[in-house]
Amino acid sequence: MGGPMMIPLVAIAFIAVIIFLERFFYLHKGQISAVEFVDGIKAVLKKRRLLEALTICDESVGPIPRVVKVALLNCEQSEEIMSQSVNASALNEFALIDRRVASVALIAKIAPLMGLMGTIISLLQIFYTMSKSGDYATVSQFSTYIYSALLSTAFGLLIAICGWVAYSFLNSRVRALAHDIDWASNDIMLFILRKMPENEDLHIKGKK
């Protein structure tokens, strides 16, 4: 009833749902407690069990263990080399967690425009049909036509609203995970550069 643009609107809505679900489960899978994980790695390193720490990183899921593993693999390198390696790994993880999130925002932006285009196309078809038939439409008939034409705009706005909510949710999860990656990489590097002191407190002040 909403006109020919309803098909592409349904298509982009389906794509947005698929992207959201894929990103949600990916980010949820990679979300671990950065403090607890780094503290566990520190506890193992204090005993000078580097291989065990690497094994823990391999067995753990998510970007934080992967970045920490890079720091451990470069623990005998210079500070500059280790920092460059960890930063490169962190940048790669940032790109992975942020992948396709902007696509949800793009769909939210274009959905209202597609809906409006659908309404205009439907109105043009209505007036063209009426001009060809030569008949005058009654108020009830004309209101029915307008109702059908406006459906695509309403559906486009609905997609936009849901899309922006989904994008805001995903973006907040991405920012939180990126912060954890940044904190974990810097904290483990500082611990290694301090020669893994056995008397260091596991928790940093203010970090819950």
Side-chain angles (χ1 to χ4, degrees):
M1 293 181 63
M5 289 301 294
M6 288 296 288
I7 295 176
L9 281 171
V10 171
I12 65 171
F14 179 76
I15 293 172
V17 171
I18 295 299
I19 294 175
F20 174 78
L21 292 177
E22 187 273 334
R23 288 290 87 190
F24 173 79
F25 289 115
Y26 179 86
L27 294 172
H28 180 73
K29 185 179 180 181
Q31 188 74 49
I32 64 174
S33 174
V35 175
E36 292 181 3
F37 180 80
V38 173
D39 284 351
I41 295 296
K42 285 183 179 180
V44 174
L45 292 178
K46 286 181 178 182
K47 300 175 184 178
R48 299 301 186 264
R49 297 177 180 175
L50 179 60
L51 183 59
E52 183 179 344
L54 290 171
T55 302
I56 294 174
C57 291
D58 287 332
E59 294 177 349
S60 302
V61 179
I64 295 174
R66 291 194 289 267
V67 173
V68 171
K69 180 182 178 181
V70 172
L72 298 179
L73 291 174
N74 291 273
C75 63
E76 296 182 356
Q77 303 293 334
S78 65
E79 178 180 351
E80 182 179 0
I81 293 177
M82 181 173 63
S83 178
Q84 290 177 352
S85 300
V86 172
N87 288 336
S89 177
L91 288 174
N92 182 61
E93 296 298 335
F94 292 156
L96 289 176
I97 63 176
D98 197 40
R99 180 188 296 176
R100 288 188 291 273
V101 173
S103 299
V104 179
L106 177 61
I107 290 174
K109 288 180 180 179
I110 66 175
L113 298 177
M114 293 177 64
L116 181 59
M117 181 180 291
T119 295
I120 294 174
I121 292 174
S122 297
L123 289 174
L124 289 175
Q125 290 177 335
I126 291 169
F127 286 112
Y128 178 78
T129 302
M130 291 172 60
S131 65
K132 285 294 183 181
S133 64
D135 298 328
Y136 290 99
T138 63
V139 174
S140 61
Q141 289 175 327
F142 194 72
S143 61
T144 301
Y145 292 150
I146 296 299
Y147 168 78
S148 299
L150 291 175
L151 280 179
S152 61
T153 295
F155 190 56
L157 290 173
L158 178 62
I159 295 174
I161 293 171
C162 295
W164 281 118
V165 171
Y167 172 74
S168 299
F169 175 79
L170 292 177
N171 196 41
S172 65
R173 297 294 295 271
V174 168
R175 290 200 308 269
L177 189 53
H179 176 270
D180 287 345
I181 293 172
D182 187 56
W183 176 85
S185 60
N186 285 298
D187 192 63
I188 197 65
M189 279 196 298
L190 290 174
F191 180 74
I192 293 172
L193 292 173
R194 288 196 296 265
K195 307 301 181 183
M196 308 177 194
E198 296 183 4
N199 60 344
E200 181 187 77
D201 292 334
L202 287 180
H203 294 285
I204 295 176
K205 290 183 179 181
K207 189 71 179 179
K208 302 296 183 181

